[in-house]
Amino acid sequence: MNMNPYLDAAPEVADAISSGKPVVALESTIISHGMPYPQNVETALNVERIVRENGAVPATVAVIGGRLKAGLTQDQIEYLGKQGQKVAKASRRDLPVLVARGADGATTVATTMIIAAMAGIRVFATGGVGGVHRGAEVTMDISADLEELAQTGVMVVCAGAKSILDLGLTLEYLETKGVPVIGYGTDELPAFYTRKSGFGVDYRLDTPREVADAFRAKLQMGLKGGMLVTNPIPEEYSMDPDVINRAIDEAVSEANAQGIHGKKITPFLLARIAQITGGDSLASNIRLVYNNAALAAQIAGEL
Ligand code: PSU
Ligand code: MN
C-alpha cells in the first residue's frame, strides 16, 4: 500500500485504507505531554472507541523504536501514557534524529499530519492545535503546526484555539498561509474551553457532508495544505470564561517568570491550568476531544 520504508500501518488501518474505509488519525503528544496519567490513557482509549462507534477506524500515531506508527496497540498507548514527559515531544524537526536513533516520540499535530499523509489518512481529530503564542512578536514562538497546515493535505478537527495563544495573530497567520478555518455550526472561532472567542471564522459549515465536500474540493484542485475545522465544546462541558481566562493569565505569567519557552511551554501551561482550576479544565479538555473524535469520524465517512 505505501512505499515509505519508515512507516508501519497497523493491519486494521492498512486494510481500511486500501479498501477505502474511513480512518481517523489521532495524535500522541496529547497522551504523553497534554494530560496526566491515568486520564491520558483512559481518554486515548475512549477516543478510539468513539471513532469506531461513529463508523471509522482509529489510527493513533506515534514514533516507537524509530518506526512511524499509524495505529497503536493498547499496550503501546499505555506505554506512552505511563512514560509521559520521558517520551520526546516530536514535532517535524525532531523526526530525523528520533528515527535514526530508533527512539520513541509523541507526535504533535504537525508530525501526526505528516505521518497520516504518508499513510493516506486524510482526517485527524485532536483537542487543540498549536498557534502563534502571546508575545510572538518578540519571541517568534509560532507552532510548527501552523506551517504543517499550510503544507500537508490533512484536515484537523479541533476545538479552536485556547487563549494561551494569541488568537487574532493565529488567524492572521493561517490566512497568510491559505489555510481555510471552518467553524462547525458556528460563525465564531471557539476558544477550546469555551464556545466563543470574539473572533470570526472564515466559513461556517453545518454538516459533516459540507465539511467533506469543501475538503474534497481542496484536494481535487491540487491546493496544497490542510484545513482547520473548529468544533465548539458542547455547552454542558464548557467553562465559565472568567474562571478559565483568569487561570490562563496566571499560568502564562508564571511561565514567563520562570523563563519557560520552546516546546515546554504548551505542556507547562496545560498542567498549570488544570491545577489552578482544580481539574475542571482537564475534564472539559477530555470532553471536547470526544466531541471532535465523533465529528471527525462522521466527516471521514462522507469523504
Ligand atoms: N494544545 C492542547 N493540548 C495539546 C497540545 C496543544 O490543548 O496536547 C499539543 C499538540 O500536540 C500540539 C502541540 O500539536 O501541543 C503544540 O506544541 P507547540 O506549541 O510546541 O508547537
Ligand atoms: Mn512553540
Side-chain angles (χ1 to χ4, degrees), residues 89 131 133 140-144 261-266:
K89 176 176 162 185
H133 278 266
M140 290 182 71
D141 188 349
I142 300 173
S143 175
H261 60 93
K263 70 203 287 184
K264 293 209 163 69
I265 187 124
T266 301

Side-chain angles (χ1 to χ4, degrees), residues 182-206:
I182 306 301
Y184 188 73
T186 180
D187 296 303
E188 217 173 288
L189 179 75
F192 198 82
Y193 302 113
T194 58
R195 294 172 60 83
K196 290 189 181 308
S197 65
F199 292 94
V201 291
D202 301 335
Y203 295 95
R204 169 186 176 146
L205 299 177
D206 290 302

Side-chain angles (χ1 to χ4, degrees), residues 152-164:
T152 301
V154 173
M155 176 197 305
V156 180
V157 180
C158 70
K162 65 178 82 55
S163 46
I164 64 172

